[in-house]
Amino acid sequence: MLPWELNILLVSVILLLKKIYASELTFELPDNAKECFHDNLKIDSHFTLEFQVITGGNYDVDLELQSPTGKILYRETKKQYDQIDKTTEEAGVYQFCFSNEFSTFTHKTIYIDWKVDGDPEHEITRPGPRVAESALTMIEKSVEKIHENLEKSIDDQTHHRLREATGRARAEDLNQRVQDWSLGQFLLIIFVAIGTVLLLRSFFSDRKTSNMTWNR
């Protein structure tokens, strides 16, 4: 294989890798708890934060996003799902915190997807050796298109799994409530039946006692 072909192959492999720094995480947030995450970003870095409450209570959570100087960039309460896209105006440690402090007895399961683009520390740079511009451009376009389609496919599959998990959790919760209600109805019927039998027996016992008194 020729040297320029090796370079083209290397570029293709690198372009197939993610050009952005991304982290996906699913974690449990206990009741009356708060969980914070941090990331050190450069100026003019574009980041995307996507989150969704999968299970727990009313499927809602509080979220607050702060800049390195403490400026509130985003603050919402009792959100089930949202996506935040912003570009940094200052360098430093950015912090976003999920809070379940408003809940007294239900914990939440939360999915987050954190992506950063435009930060040199989070990007993969191109190799130094130059290759044929026309061939490189054609390969770049093709591989970039494949990469975008793969990214879209991965995102679609992730959202499909999240919807499936949320639907399954809701169905299991509804099933448990129906079972509890059915058990309560069953116990109530048994209690009413026993009470009715005891009440009827008391009527006949009183009548029998009255007859014995009159006979005397």
Side-chain angles (χ1 to χ4, degrees):
M1 186 177 290
L2 298 177
W4 68 271
E5 293 177 337
L6 288 174
N7 288 331
I8 292 177
L9 179 60
L10 179 60
V11 172
S12 301
V13 172
I14 290 177
L15 287 175
L16 281 173
L17 299 175
K18 283 189 174 181
K19 287 187 175 181
I20 59 176
Y21 166 77
S23 296
E24 294 185 32
L25 176 66
T26 302
F27 68 99
E28 288 193 1
L29 185 63
D31 52 282
N32 292 316
K34 185 177 182 179
E35 189 76 27
C36 294
F37 300 86
H38 309 80
D39 199 358
N40 191 7
L41 303 180
K42 304 293 185 180
I43 298 179
D44 294 331
S45 296
H46 179 266
F47 65 86
T48 301
L49 173 61
E50 181 181 357
F51 72 93
Q52 179 176 342
V53 181
I54 302 176
T55 62
N58 293 323
Y59 302 88
D60 52 2
V61 70
D62 296 345
L63 174 62
E64 182 178 278
L65 174 63
Q66 292 186 7
S67 68
T69 57
K71 179 181 178 181
I72 303 299
L73 303 178
Y74 177 93
R75 177 185 287 165
E76 290 290 342
T77 59
K78 296 185 178 181
K79 294 284 290 185
Q80 296 182 348
Y81 164 85
D82 206 354
Q83 179 173 317
I84 308 159
D85 294 286
K86 290 187 178 295
T87 301
T88 59
E89 298 179 354
E90 51 186 312
V93 178
Y94 285 76
Q95 172 182 276
F96 55 96
C97 297
F98 294 92
S99 174
N100 193 30
E101 295 174 329
F102 60 87
S103 180
T104 56
F105 58 90
T106 56
H107 70 280
K108 310 291 175 62
T109 302
I110 303 173
Y111 163 83
I112 60 175
D113 186 8
W114 172 255
K115 298 179 181 179
V116 180
D117 190 13
D119 190 338
E121 294 183 358
H122 292 153
E123 290 184 347
I124 300 175
T125 57
R126 294 183 181 180
R130 297 186 60 83
V131 296
E133 292 294 336
S134 58
L136 181 59
T137 302
M138 292 176 60
I139 292 179
E140 280 183 337
K141 290 181 179 179
S142 299
V143 174
E144 189 67 27
K145 185 65 176 178
I146 295 174
H147 173 70
E148 292 176 357
N149 292 335
L150 289 175
E151 283 290 318
K152 186 177 184 302
S153 176
I154 292 174
D155 289 340
D156 291 342
Q157 291 178 4
T158 300
H159 287 91
H160 177 73
R161 288 195 298 268
L162 289 175
R163 287 193 296 269
E164 181 184 3
T166 303
R168 183 170 61 251
R170 290 179 183 270
E172 291 176 353
D173 181 61
L174 179 60
N175 179 58
Q176 185 63 42
R177 293 185 181 184
V178 170
Q179 289 182 354
D180 294 341
W181 175 259
S182 300
L183 179 61
Q185 292 292 316
F186 174 75
L187 294 177
L188 180 61
I189 292 173
I190 296 297
F191 177 77
V192 171
I194 294 175
T196 303
V197 171
L198 294 177
L199 182 61
L200 291 175
R201 288 186 62 182
S202 66
F203 287 160
F204 286 106
S205 297
D206 293 342
R207 180 173 297 181
K208 184 177 181 181
T209 304
S210 300
N211 291 334
M212 291 178 63
T213 303
W214 280 104
N215 291 333
R216 289 180 182 179

